[in-house]
Amino acid sequence: MPDSRDSRSSRFATSGPRRARTPKAQIGEVAYLEVVVVNDTGAFLDWGHPRDLLLPFGEQRFRPTPGKRVLVRIYEDQQGRPVASQKLDRFVQDAAKGLAPGDQVELVVADHTDLGVKAVVDHRFWGLLYRDDMTRPVRRGQRLTGFVKRVRDDGRLDLSLLPPGAARLDAVGERVLEALRKSGGYLPLADKSPAHEIKARLGVSKSAFKQAIGRLYKEQRITIEASGIRLVPGRE
């Protein structure tokens, strides 16, 4: 029997009664949503509301495939009805306003680039998360908490997944301590370890690692050896 959703008779028809669900996105947000069905009206997306969300043909960048996900901005059309658009540049600005270095922001991962990851900041602005500032792998559409690392002269944002200043050292230091605990109190990483080994093991840059272990050493929580670092017994 054909799927009843294929027989929609209007742009905003539903596929029948549904149980209450938790909304996956709201108007004004950028979200990565699953394509439910594609028909002569357009594509319909599951956004966790009773009625599926229309992605009109004119707002598509490519022909969506049912079962796949698309990154869209949700807005209201001229009749006040919620619709989606894949043309994010119409809604997301290059130059940010009202943000400063150190501000905590919400990120939605958009595209991987040669430099790192392009992300939507607070559903309003574009920002760049450099590879050196990525503490873990991220995927398209993923929502993350991030921080403004720098506001460039042209208003564009450089981002980080770690907080600035002392809070950054606290976060990296806790990551080092957690890795030490899981490895029995010793890690074969030190000042002279290659940056790629530190990044692979801890997800942080070499400079952040060196600053963090220097602080932990001063606090007498670790000892630094020629080939690694070790927890100080009784300090945990």
Side-chain angles (χ1 to χ4, degrees), residues 15-40:
S15 56
R18 292 183 175 178
R19 292 177 295 177
R21 298 180 297 170
T22 301
K24 300 176 182 179
Q26 302 290 344
I27 293 172
E29 294 184 349
V30 173
Y32 198 44
L33 303 176
E34 182 180 351
V35 180
V36 177
V37 69
V38 178
N39 59 23
D40 293 339

Side-chain angles (χ1 to χ4, degrees), residues 13 20-21 28 33 48 70 87 95 99 111 126 132 149 152 162 179 188 194:
R21 298 180 297 170
L33 303 176
V70 290
K87 300 178 180 180
L99 291 175
D111 298 301
W126 287 114
D132 286 346
K149 183 177 182 180
R152 301 184 217 169
L162 292 172

Side-chain angles (χ1 to χ4, degrees), residues 71-83:
L71 192 66
V72 297
R73 169 58 150 73
I74 305 170
Y75 69 101
E76 288 185 339
D77 66 8
Q78 294 180 345
Q79 286 73 45
R81 297 173 295 192
V83 291

Side-chain angles (χ1 to χ4, degrees), residues 13-230:
T14 68
S15 56
R18 292 183 175 178
R19 292 177 295 177
R21 298 180 297 170
T22 301
K24 300 176 182 179
Q26 302 290 344
I27 293 172
E29 294 184 349
V30 173
Y32 198 44
L33 303 176
E34 182 180 351
V35 180
V36 177
V37 69
V38 178
N39 59 23
D40 293 339
T41 302
F44 289 84
L45 314 178
D46 178 8
W47 65 321
H49 292 257
R51 292 174 179 266
D52 292 331
L53 181 68
L54 174 66
L55 173 59
F57 287 116
E59 298 294 339
Q60 297 176 11
R61 293 178 56 198
F62 55 83
R63 182 76 167 179
T65 302
K68 301 292 186 179
R69 291 179 180 268
V70 290
L71 192 66
V72 297
R73 169 58 150 73
I74 305 170
Y75 69 101
E76 288 185 339
D77 66 8
Q78 294 180 345
Q79 286 73 45
R81 297 173 295 192
V83 291
S85 175
Q86 287 182 281
K87 300 178 180 180
L88 300 187
D89 286 332
R90 287 180 47 206
F91 307 93
V92 183
Q93 303 174 39
D94 287 325
K97 299 177 182 177
L99 291 175
D103 285 350
Q104 182 173 313
V105 291
E106 181 181 353
L107 307 178
V108 180
V109 176
D111 298 301
H112 288 264
T113 73
D114 291 339
L115 296 176
V117 166
K118 188 177 182 181
V120 180
V121 180
D122 288 344
H123 305 282
R124 297 182 295 159
F125 311 117
W126 287 114
L128 184 61
L129 179 63
Y130 288 93
R131 293 191 189 281
D132 286 346
D133 292 307
M134 292 173 59
T135 58
R136 58 190 183 276
V138 298
R139 64 184 184 278
R140 181 175 173 82
Q142 185 175 359
R143 291 195 179 195
L144 303 166
T145 296
F147 300 87
V148 176
K149 183 177 182 180
R150 182 165 69 100
V151 181
R152 301 184 217 169
D153 292 339
D154 59 3
R156 295 172 184 261
L157 299 174
D158 291 342
L159 308 169
S160 176
L161 296 184
L162 292 172
R168 180 185 183 92
L169 290 181
D170 288 342
V172 177
E174 184 53 43
R175 187 164 297 185
V176 171
L177 291 173
E178 183 64 21
L180 281 165
R181 297 182 193 110
K182 290 181 178 179
S183 62
Y186 177 80
L187 274 180
L189 296 174
D191 286 357
K192 296 183 179 180
S193 297
H196 70 273
E197 290 185 7
I198 296 172
K199 183 76 171 180
R201 186 68 180 263
L202 299 172
V204 300
S205 67
K206 184 172 181 175
S207 62
F209 169 74
K210 291 175 67 174
Q211 291 178 52
I213 65 173
R215 185 175 181 180
L216 293 172
Y217 176 77
K218 290 179 180 178
E219 294 172 352
Q220 299 183 352
R221 303 180 75 180
I222 66 169
T223 57
I224 300 177
E225 303 175 3
S227 58
I229 56 177
R230 192 180 301 275

Side-chain angles (χ1 to χ4, degrees), residues 1-9 14-15 36-40 66:
M1 178 179 294
D3 193 326
S4 62
R5 289 175 294 202
D6 291 332
S7 61
R8 298 175 193 264
S9 59
T14 68
S15 56
V36 177
V37 69
V38 178
N39 59 23
D40 293 339

